[in-house]
Amino acid sequence: MIRFNLYMVKNTVLLFVLVLISCGNLSKDKATNVKTDTKATLFKNEDSLPIVGANQTARYLTLLEGKRVGIVANQTSVIFKAPDEALQLEYTHIVDSLVSLNIDIKKVFAPEHGFRGKADAGEIVKDGVDTKTGLPIVSLYGSNKKPTPEQLANLDLVIFDIQDVGARFYTYISSLHYVMEACAEANIPVLILDRPNPNGHYIDGPILETEYKSFVGMHPVPVVHGMTIGEYAKMINGEKWLKDEISCDITVIPVKNYTHNTPYSLPIKPSPNLPNDTAINLYPSLCFFEGTNVSAGRGTDKQFQIFGSPALDTTMFSFNYKFIPQPNDGAKYPKHENETCFGKDLSNSAKLNRLDLNHLIEAYQATNDKDAFFNNFFIKLAGTEALQKQIESKHTAYEIKKTWVRGLQAYNSMRQPYLIYK
């Protein structure tokens, strides 16, 4: 976690005075302790470390003054502070900060997992009121994925500040699409406070085919799209993906001192089942198991770092890891609840710079009842029927990935004009 703490400290140091003004009278939320021997180590090479968009308040406060503001936010939407004397990193939620600065925040829009990030994947998030600020919270998950004209009626501007993880089926980019579309229809500008993409160092996977469009895949992009939220918003506009090819008026506050190859460790879980860097890195590869009868570790403390099932033949591969899924935060009803699953522990794996299909292929081959392996969700996750057919036809990972090359080359060319970071 040292790398994360160095990065996050820089996110706060350069704007320390301004942020203290914006957050001074608010209670402090604390992140992971900074583990280092000296303060000097913390500030070494600080000029090259990233500063997230939300921390650059001097660049966007003037855009908010005198405006009635809505904000799309969750638990990751924070402004980082300088560490205290104990070298403990702290942050304040951006909603709390803006309210303290007398910015006229009218309402909060909450994506999947809710405003505080506690809801299960796929769980309906209800409208409510934020107990800390008294602001109304409007859910953008469930039946109301797109803000209605009535919900936008008293707004002059909408902020979008969500930490993404760079996978097509991670639904925050779908929420981004609908927010942009609704705001474009209502002639309301959108301010995007950009954050790094922890999987932004590569692109990989099949390109989504439009007939398989869903909330877990809305655009013809690969599974790992290699863009930040700000870049992705530019691409949505540029490729005319909004309804009737309308365009949204967007302003992006970019991350400072950042490239797609800059390592970045997230200080706050982006969702309940992505607890650490390893889970986030493995997520694009292991999320395919959500469309099968194999558990990806929901209901354990190693979500998206293990996989297994009671039905796997342990003699075929090294499926020597056992776990028993049980209800916990983010998994009220985990797959194979209270059953012993056999599979693999990947929590000590090296960092991936590609999709790894080998675990999915091995699990399919080791399942006796292959008709029960895939469910209807798999094709939505893959964005194509081809991947399931290739696995069923005993194609190797190498053979499957060769079929992606042309699509990935075309996509990479398409995304170039929208890149903010190289």
Side-chain angles (χ1 to χ4, degrees):
M1 292 301 293
I2 291 175
R3 184 180 65 204
F4 144 66
N5 290 309
L6 290 173
Y7 278 42
M8 293 301 98
V9 167
K10 174 60 181 175
N11 284 357
T12 64
V13 167
L14 296 184
L15 294 171
F16 179 56
V17 174
L18 183 59
V19 173
L20 284 181
I21 292 172
S22 67
C23 309
N25 295 323
L26 299 172
S27 62
K28 299 177 180 179
D29 302 307
K30 296 185 178 180
T32 306
N33 285 341
V34 177
K35 296 179 181 178
T36 185
D37 293 332
T38 65
K39 287 185 178 181
T41 304
L42 285 171
F43 300 103
K44 184 178 181 181
N45 297 324
E46 65 179 30
D47 289 340
S48 64
L49 300 176
I51 306 171
V52 300
N55 260 69
Q56 300 173 56
T57 50
R59 296 190 62 181
Y60 62 85
L61 281 180
T62 56
L63 303 176
L64 307 180
E65 292 173 355
K67 303 287 179 60
R68 299 169 298 175
V69 178
I71 182 166
V72 185
N74 66 4
Q75 76 284 354
T76 67
S77 311
V78 303
I79 296 176
F80 297 101
K81 301 181 183 181
D84 60 19
E85 292 181 358
L87 299 184
Q88 193 166 45
L89 187 64
E90 298 177 350
Y91 52 83
T92 296
H93 199 283
I94 190 171
V95 171
D96 300 333
S97 179
L98 294 178
V99 168
S100 77
L101 288 168
N102 297 318
I103 299 300
D104 188 12
I105 304 294
K106 292 295 186 183
K107 64 186 65 175
V108 176
F109 296 95
E112 184 177 9
H113 305 296
F115 181 44
R116 299 297 178 185
K118 299 294 187 181
D120 284 4
E123 180 180 350
I124 294 175
V125 178
K126 297 180 180 179
D127 294 349
V129 175
D130 179 35
T131 56
K132 189 169 186 178
T133 62
L135 291 170
I137 298 175
V138 178
S139 171
L140 294 183
Y141 195 72
S143 59
N144 183 52
K145 293 181 175 67
K146 178 179 174 179
T148 66
E150 293 75 21
Q151 291 164 347
L152 296 173
N154 65 335
L155 301 180
D156 300 311
L157 180 144
V158 170
I159 300 171
F160 194 101
D161 182 22
I162 298 285
Q163 177 64 62
D164 190 45
V165 300
R168 185 184 66 214
F169 32 60
Y170 205 60
T171 61
Y172 297 153
I173 55 173
S174 298
S175 294
L176 173 69
H177 173 108
Y178 281 128
V179 167
M180 288 176 60
E181 187 171 276
C183 287
E185 292 169 346
N187 293 314
I188 296 174
V190 175
L191 172 65
I192 297 170
L193 305 180
D194 215 5
R195 294 178 182 268
N197 175 0
N199 287 313
H201 55 293
Y202 73 106
I203 60 173
D204 206 358
I207 306 296
L208 179 135
E209 299 166 8
T210 54
E211 58 264 43
Y212 301 111
K213 177 180 176 180
S214 73
F215 198 60
V216 292
M218 296 192 66
H219 310 118
V221 303
V223 169
V224 184
H225 53 71
M227 305 184 84
T228 66
I229 285 285
E231 292 172 322
Y232 203 93
K234 291 177 61 179
M235 186 165 66
I236 288 174
N237 265 346
E239 295 302 313
K240 306 295 183 183
W241 287 338
L242 300 180
K243 184 179 178 182
D244 299 326
E245 299 188 350
I246 56 177
S247 183
C248 180
D249 179 2
I250 62 172
T251 299
V252 179
I253 305 298
V255 183
K256 285 186 178 180
N257 307 324
Y258 173 71
T259 75
H260 283 286
N261 291 314
T262 302
Y264 191 80
S265 181
L266 303 189
I268 300 169
K269 292 190 295 185
S271 54
N273 288 292
L274 292 181
N276 54 41
D277 292 343
T278 301
I280 290 166
N281 182 243
L282 287 168
Y283 173 74
S285 298
L286 297 192
C287 190
F288 286 117
F289 282 123
E290 301 284 88
T292 73
N293 65 359
V294 175
S295 167
R298 292 185 189 272
T300 75
D301 61 356
K302 291 187 176 182
Q303 308 96 317
F304 292 102
Q305 299 156 84
I306 57 177
F307 71 90
S309 163
L312 294 185
D313 183 350
T314 59
T315 65
M316 288 191 66
F317 300 98
S318 300
F319 295 143
N320 52 15
Y321 181 76
K322 295 191 294 185
F323 62 95
I324 301 175
Q326 296 179 330
N328 64 6
D329 277 352
K332 291 184 176 67
Y333 309 103
K335 189 184 299 181
H336 302 309
E337 181 178 344
N338 294 321
E339 295 183 72
T340 300
C341 296
F342 302 91
K344 288 187 177 181
D345 180 358
L346 307 175
S347 59
N348 293 315
S349 300
K351 183 177 180 180
L352 292 175
N353 59 5
R354 58 181 174 81
L355 276 181
D356 190 343
L357 294 177
N358 289 299
H359 306 304
L360 181 65
I361 291 171
E362 288 179 0
Y364 175 76
Q365 292 175 353
T367 298
N368 291 324
D369 185 3
K370 291 181 171 49
D371 289 338
F373 184 79
F374 292 105
N375 60 47
N376 293 334
F377 193 45
F378 185 84
I379 292 176
K380 287 185 177 182
L381 291 171
T384 174
E385 286 187 344
L387 180 57
Q388 179 174 334
K389 291 179 178 179
Q390 289 165 331
I391 293 172
E392 290 172 338
S393 299
K394 298 183 179 180
H395 285 64
T396 64
Y398 175 76
E399 291 169 338
I400 293 171
K401 297 189 83 166
K402 280 177 61 178
T403 67
W404 300 346
V405 171
R406 186 172 297 178
L408 289 171
Q409 289 174 339
Y411 167 74
N412 192 40
S413 297
M414 181 189 76
R415 79 181 183 124
Q416 291 303 315
Y418 311 117
L419 293 180
I420 301 171
Y421 321 95
K422 301 301 181 181

